[in-house]
Amino acid sequence: MRSGLWVFLGLCLWLLPAGVGRPEGQARAQDAGRTEYLMVGYTSKGRVPGVAVYRNENGTLRGRWTNGQAQGRILTETAVPQSLTDGIEGTYETTGTNPDGRMYRGKLGIRKLGDKVYLLAWTNGETGVGILAGQVLVVGYGEQPGVALYALKADGSGDGGWTTLDMQGGIGREQFYGGGGLTATHRTKGVSPTGQPYEAAVTITKEGNAYRLAWSTGEVGIGLLTTAR
């Protein structure tokens, strides 16, 4: 994930309700000053990836989420702060909707790991890692979670950043390209948070209102498409 990450992290994102998806074949990026972003939660093969995207509204985090078992459905969660220590760090009361339609309640703790990287822990036992971009917190959760976020170009290629809990707050860079559209097999090129360059491939497929990702390195992910300006 390369230099576009720093532009991305400098944006003050504003999530739009219509940003869940766009029919394939339409232009994806730079539409009337808006750009599409693919927000991804990932983990190793054989585990269930999850992703959540929260917008900070005066301290309340309003989010959309899905996971590898939700069959492409997009659910909601609201986290209301109970005790904040610094920025978004602190404890929250959560309410949301499960894939079966039932409502749930719980608690969420958020702790800062790096300049823009956060650890999340829910009372249901889930843990996550998030990258803060302006007023938007993008989170990957599940077993050994990672998170990635890509700004998309009109040709379906992507450019952005990633991290995992093991990276101690560091952010890596990655681009994917060459697929001729978003839902395709792409080549990837990146640099890890420790500065190690790498190359691989990723296959992206559509599943309902979500996207599945499978890297040749063995990771699997689930992604949400978001429009921002």
Side-chain angles (χ1 to χ4, degrees), residues 16-49:
L16 303 176
V20 172
R22 178 194 297 267
E24 294 298 325
Q26 293 187 17
R28 310 204 66 86
Q30 290 80 43
D31 179 12
R34 300 172 181 173
T35 300
E36 286 186 318
Y37 296 88
L38 184 63
M39 318 295 211
V40 179
Y42 68 91
T43 186
S44 57
K45 188 175 181 179
R47 294 184 169 93
V48 179

Side-chain angles (χ1 to χ4, degrees), residues 191-204:
V191 179
S192 75
T194 60
Q196 183 68 32
Y198 64 87
E199 295 185 14
V202 62
T203 298
I204 303 175

Side-chain angles (χ1 to χ4, degrees), residues 26 75 92-93 95 106 112 120 138 144 182 184:
Q26 293 187 17
L75 295 313
Y92 297 77
E93 296 278 356
T95 57
K112 196 170 187 178
L120 292 86
V138 184
Q144 300 178 352
L182 180 61

